[in-house]
């Protein structure tokens, strides 16, 4: 982290780095994670601090969130302070050990960081981790700023240890990626470890009868925590000089937004900040509500505080529709709501300055696209060309953008491409639908959840083609290593596992390696794979399409092919739609396509993208 600009007050850190700092300052000894936006920089931040300060902390990018939580839990049971980081949909994957860990409890502090994505900006759902924590019965801390996230990380470890319960720290995208100047840490001293795992059969291997007792114990812990939170400074009221008929309860980033909007409106409204949405200090909140004609609850991404209120008759929020039931609480949204409730002028137009600024932004047309030279594009292009009638189940990663190339028809959750392909196969068998099925999954996603899905597909006799798009990194979330790559976080003992061996061990009989840049070769292999999957004697046919991510390893494009679009181009746009390389650009008058030399990486992959043959190798002698 020392590369960040700093001034005499401290250093500029983003929210995720602030969380890492708070954990390390509080004596973290084990940090685990599975990458996922917006949480990915937390473990990267711990790794950076570990290196910078020479600390002994075991860190790992685990294969999935369930495993990451279990590794951290075992460390806690051994007596080491531990933390695990993930995004909100990752908490679903980790929910099995999460629910059980609430019952067994912990020994040393264990913090589970689940970063929510209101909006959503980069997720398949807007789900609220606080609600899962409510169901699992674990406490939640909800920070509003990077500085508070740093402090809450340490508080969470301390609370966890004192109550012997895992504690959820729940930041959201805006906080994870916000930057704030934070005070520099005091020197961190690590003391010799005296921890030791102590066997306890009443807890660690509790039978159902004992689990009932652990459940009672858990309820008691939550009741004591709620009592503590009634007077905790984590839940504080901001005194307003001129209280009126409206009070506001807010938590997380929505609290800061509410404060800013009240300033903008020039209104003084009593504001109760909730830092502990679960267990909610219900008496404190109830007393606050009783003082006003109306109380507005602002929280993201769903109703968690509101659901726990004993009485909601004059409460306005997500449940009565005053606050939209979906989407981020941006300043514009909060302004609209408050202006309406306070009957302030300007209602209906949002923050005028922001609106006009937004309208002036010149945003690129269309949504996100694969990078220039991305090998996934080549694979999708060939899939469409060779098996265009197929059903294309896709998965979670950069390659979800295969939707733009019409080579991804579904994506659901991590690993679902393979299970959906199996499901489509069995359904199509029953219906007599002969369409081929070609599924795609990335290397990291395959290791995360694809292996059990592949075992199931082989075992149940499903037949389809599976392309494992191996770009040798977890690209979408910031190039974290996978279990199939060499360690990129300095863990000397890490070993790369072989995806090829794993596929074979799942019982797959057809497995071929392919280079997506060799489009003709890939096309031939796809046809052979399809033949295998179509035969009643066949099965799942796997193509391991290997080529490093061009952003992560730009030198991997060793053969440079300069291309040009000839003057015969008539601007039909076919190549733009079918190949969609950002370096292919339509002239403003729509007359023809050009190559944008500033974006083009000379991969030569677009040569077949013009079916009329107007994209050609540039004649260097011309
Ligand atoms: S290069 Fe070919 S496909 Fe692309 S716009 Fe021109 S004519 Fe159409
Ligand atoms: S050579 Fe073609 S495919 Fe490769 S980056 Fe340039 S325009 Fe895109």
């Amino acid at each position: 982290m020392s590369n960040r600009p700093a001034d005499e007050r401290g250093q500029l850190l983003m929210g995720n780095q602030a969380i890492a700092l708070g954990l390390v300052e509080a004596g973290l000894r084990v940090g685990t994670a599975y990458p996922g936006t917006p949480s990915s920089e937390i473990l990267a931040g711990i790794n950076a601090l570990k290196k910078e300060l020479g600390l002994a902390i075991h860190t790992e990018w685990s294969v999935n969130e369930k495993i990451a939580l279990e590794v951290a839990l075992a460390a806690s049971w051994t007596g080491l302070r531990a933390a695990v980081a993930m995004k909100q949909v990752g908490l679903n994957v980790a929910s099995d050990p999460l629910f059980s860990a609430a019952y067994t409890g912990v020994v040393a502090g264990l913090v589970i960081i689940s970063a929510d994505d209101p909006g959503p900006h980069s997720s398949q759902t807007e789900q609220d981790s606080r609600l899962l924590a409510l169901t699992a019965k674990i406490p939640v801390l909800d920070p509003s700023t990077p500085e508070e996230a740093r402090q809450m990380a340490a508080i969470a470890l301390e609370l966890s240890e004192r109550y012997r319960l895992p504690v959820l720290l729940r930041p959201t995208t805006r906080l994870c990626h916000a930057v704030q100047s934070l005070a520099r840490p005091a020197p961190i001293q690590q003391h010799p470890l005296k921890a030791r795992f102590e066997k306890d059969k009443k807890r660690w291997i509790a039978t159902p009868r004992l689990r009932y007792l652990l459940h009672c114990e858990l309820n008691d812990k939550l009741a004591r925590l709620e009592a503590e939170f009634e007077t905790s400074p984590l839940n504080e009221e901001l005194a307003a000089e001129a209280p009126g008929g409206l009070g506001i309860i807010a938590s997380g980033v929505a609290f800061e937004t509410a404060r800013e909007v009240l300033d903008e409106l020039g209104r003084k409204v009593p504001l109760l900040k909730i830092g502990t949405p679960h267990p909610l200090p219900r008496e404190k909140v109830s007393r606050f509500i009783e003082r006003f004609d109306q109380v507005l609850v602002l929280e993201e991404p769903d109703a968690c505080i509101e659901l726990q209120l004993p009485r909601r008759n004059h409460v306005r929020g997500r449940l009565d529709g005053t606050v939209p039931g979906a989407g981020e609480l941006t300043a514009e949204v909060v302004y609209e709501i408050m202006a309406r409730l306070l009957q302030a002028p300007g209602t209906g137009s949002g923050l005028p300055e922001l609106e006009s600024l937004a309208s002036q932004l010149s945003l690129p047309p269309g949504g996100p696209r694969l990078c220039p030279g991305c090998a996934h594009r080549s694979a999708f292009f060939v899939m469409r060309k060779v098996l265009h009638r197929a059903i294309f189940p896709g998965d979670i990663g950069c390659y979800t953008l295969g939707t733009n190339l019409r080579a991804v028809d579904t994506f659901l959750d991590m690993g679902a491409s393979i299970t959906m392909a199996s499901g489509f196969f069995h359904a199509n068998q029953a219906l007599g639908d002969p369409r081929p099925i070609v599924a795609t999954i990335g290397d990291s996603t395959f290791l995360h959840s694809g292996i059990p899905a592949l075992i199931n597909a082989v075992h149940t006799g499903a037949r389809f083609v599976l392309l494992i798009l191996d770009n040798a990194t977890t690209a979408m979330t910031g190039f974290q290593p996978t279990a199939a790559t060499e360690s990129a976080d300095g863990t000397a003992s890490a070993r790369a596992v072989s995806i090829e061996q794993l596929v074979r061990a799942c019982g797959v009989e057809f497995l071929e390696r392919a280079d997506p840049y060799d489009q003709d070769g890939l096309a031939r292999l796809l046809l052979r794979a399809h033949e295998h999957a179509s035969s009643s004697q066949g099965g799942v046919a796997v193509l391991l399409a290997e080529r490093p991510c061009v952003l992560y390893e730009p030198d991997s494009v060793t053969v440079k092919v300069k291309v040009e679009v000839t003057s015969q181009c008539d601007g039909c746009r076919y190549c733009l739609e079918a190949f969609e390389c950002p370096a292919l650009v339509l002239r403003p008058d729509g007359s023809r396509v050009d190559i944008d030399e500033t974006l083009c990486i000379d991969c030569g992959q677009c040569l077949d993208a013009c079916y009329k043959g107007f994209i050609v190798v540039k004649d260097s002698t011309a």
Side-chain angles (χ1 to χ4, degrees):
M1 294 189 185
S2 54
N3 56 344
R4 295 217 157 261
D7 57 24
E8 65 282 354
R9 288 171 301 158
Q11 57 188 149
L12 288 176
L13 293 182
M14 68 191 291
N16 281 341
Q17 292 173 312
I19 292 171
L21 180 58
L23 291 167
V24 169
E25 285 174 318
L28 188 81
R29 286 296 184 142
V30 172
T32 64
Y34 183 80
T37 308
S39 70
S40 305
E41 298 82 7
I42 297 170
L43 190 71
I46 296 170
N47 272 330
L49 284 164
K50 167 180 148 176
K51 208 165 152 194
E52 185 179 321
L53 304 173
L55 301 174
I57 301 173
H58 169 78
T59 53
E60 65 173 57
W61 288 110
S62 305
V63 162
N64 66 32
E65 295 85 353
K66 173 181 184 290
I67 290 168
L69 174 50
E70 288 163 352
V71 170
L73 185 61
S76 158
W77 287 4
T78 310
L80 303 180
R81 285 191 161 188
V84 53
M86 61 195 71
K87 68 181 292 177
Q88 91 284 22
V89 289
L91 196 60
N92 300 339
V93 179
S95 60
D96 216 352
L98 174 76
F99 278 65
S100 208
Y103 278 44
T104 60
V106 303
V107 176
L110 173 66
V111 180
I112 301 164
I113 304 133
S114 180
D116 283 358
D117 186 21
H121 294 274
S122 57
S123 307
Q124 60 267 47
T125 70
E126 272 196 295
Q127 71 184 66
D128 193 325
S129 296
R130 299 173 307 162
L131 291 171
L132 198 58
L134 191 84
T135 316
K137 296 192 166 183
I138 65 166
V140 184
L141 302 187
D142 193 2
S144 302
T145 63
E147 175 59 45
E148 192 178 39
R150 173 194 190 175
Q151 291 167 12
M152 278 190 175
I155 293 169
L157 275 172
E158 186 273 323
L159 276 176
S160 166
E161 207 157 282
R162 197 149 45 84
Y163 283 88
R164 303 194 74 168
L165 252 184
V167 172
L168 188 91
L169 180 67
R170 194 294 301 252
T172 53
T173 304
R174 298 263 171 202
L175 184 147
C176 292
H177 296 161
V179 173
Q180 190 178 6
S181 177
L182 302 190
R184 287 185 172 282
I188 295 168
Q189 300 260 318
Q190 283 190 315
H191 303 292
L193 293 171
K194 292 197 186 123
R196 183 174 188 271
F197 173 69
E198 299 294 346
K199 297 185 184 186
D200 180 355
K201 65 182 180 186
K202 288 191 180 149
R203 189 166 293 276
W204 311 139
I205 51 171
T207 57
R209 172 69 199 154
L210 289 169
R211 290 275 164 164
Y212 163 78
L213 296 175
L214 289 176
H215 189 185
C216 297
E217 181 187 90
L218 172 58
N219 290 339
D220 177 59
K221 287 177 185 176
L222 287 175
R224 287 189 285 120
L225 260 168
E226 182 173 337
E228 178 170 336
F229 288 164
E230 291 288 349
T231 54
S232 165
L234 297 172
N235 304 306
E236 60 165 355
E237 182 177 340
L238 266 65
E241 287 164 18
L246 180 72
I248 297 174
I249 298 172
S251 81
V253 170
F255 166 75
E256 283 300 315
T257 310
R259 262 214 311 206
E260 284 163 19
V261 171
L262 285 172
D263 277 354
E264 180 79 22
L265 287 164
R267 301 294 288 261
K268 304 277 186 195
V269 175
L271 186 53
L272 177 61
K273 176 183 189 299
I274 294 295
T276 67
H278 182 250
L280 187 70
R282 284 174 291 183
E283 275 186 31
K284 181 173 198 154
V285 173
S286 296
R287 283 197 304 273
F288 181 83
I289 291 173
E290 279 161 16
R291 287 166 36 206
F292 304 99
D293 299 335
Q294 296 191 89
V295 170
L296 173 66
V297 181
L298 294 170
E299 54 182 332
E300 292 178 312
D302 223 315
C304 174
I305 293 173
E306 222 182 321
L307 273 177
Q308 296 174 78
L309 298 176
R311 284 174 298 284
R312 293 200 290 265
N313 44 337
H314 54 288
V315 171
R316 307 280 168 258
R318 296 220 186 240
L319 296 180
D320 78 338
T322 302
V323 177
E328 197 175 11
L329 293 183
T330 59
E332 294 92 326
V333 172
V334 172
Y335 182 93
E336 285 273 351
I337 298 164
M338 284 194 190
R340 213 177 325 124
L341 290 177
L342 292 164
Q343 294 177 324
T347 312
S349 60
L351 289 173
E353 310 81 39
L354 288 180
E355 270 187 1
S356 89
L357 273 178
S359 66
Q360 286 163 27
L361 283 177
S362 152
L363 297 172
R369 291 182 283 175
L370 292 166
C371 301
C374 175
H376 295 335
R377 174 181 293 103
S378 304
F380 288 133
F381 183 63
V382 175
M383 281 163 55
R384 283 285 311 170
K385 203 153 94 172
V386 175
L387 294 168
H388 65 277
R389 285 180 54 247
I391 298 171
F392 297 112
D395 224 298
I396 309 287
C398 303
Y399 50 90
T400 307
L401 295 172
T403 45
N404 301 350
L405 297 152
R406 292 179 294 142
V408 168
D409 293 325
T410 66
F411 64 86
L412 189 70
D413 60 76
M414 297 285 279
S417 59
I418 302 177
T419 33
M420 296 299 282
S422 299
F424 286 133
F425 171 79
H426 293 300
N428 286 358
Q429 284 285 99
L431 295 166
D433 185 337
R435 279 180 293 174
I437 298 162
V438 183
T440 46
I441 191 169
D443 45 346
S444 184
T445 312
F446 176 72
L447 294 162
H448 178 286
S449 301
I451 296 168
L454 186 55
I455 293 169
N456 191 67
V458 171
H459 176 65
T460 59
R463 287 185 273 120
F464 54 88
V465 179
L466 171 66
L467 269 84
I468 301 178
L469 303 173
D470 183 357
N471 61 0
T473 188
T474 318
M476 190 170 74
T477 49
F479 310 116
Q480 294 80 14
T482 76
T485 61
E486 298 301 328
S487 165
D489 58 359
T491 313
S493 58
R495 288 190 208 160
V497 301
S498 159
I499 292 181
E500 186 175 345
Q501 285 177 5
L502 286 167
V503 170
R504 290 201 193 283
C506 290
V508 169
E509 288 169 358
F510 184 106
L511 170 63
E512 296 286 349
R513 305 173 85 113
D515 177 358
Y517 266 22
D518 174 9
Q519 294 185 14
D520 291 342
L522 180 61
R524 283 193 296 276
L525 283 175
L526 257 176
L527 284 171
R528 276 186 50 215
H530 171 53
E531 203 178 311
H532 178 82
S534 308
S535 157
S536 58
Q537 304 304 308
V540 181
V542 177
L543 297 182
L544 192 47
E546 298 167 306
R547 179 148 280 265
C549 165
V550 286
L551 282 193
Y552 189 52
E553 288 188 36
D555 294 343
S556 62
V557 184
T558 48
V559 180
K560 295 284 183 182
V561 183
K562 265 223 162 312
V563 297
E564 64 179 343
V565 182
T566 70
S567 56
Q568 293 149 292
C569 170
D570 56 18
C572 74
R573 305 171 62 105
Y574 174 82
C575 58
L576 304 180
E577 311 241 328
F579 203 71
E580 212 203 28
C581 177
L584 293 169
V585 287
L586 190 66
R587 284 190 180 175
D589 64 3
S591 62
R592 53 167 291 185
V593 160
D594 285 317
I595 305 287
D596 182 341
E597 298 288 346
T598 60
L599 294 176
C600 178
I601 65 159
D602 301 332
C603 69
Q605 287 296 298
C606 55
L607 281 171
D608 283 342
C610 173
Y611 66 98
K612 302 165 198 168
F614 297 157
I615 302 181
V616 297
V617 178
K618 195 170 188 173
D619 182 358
S620 55
T621 60

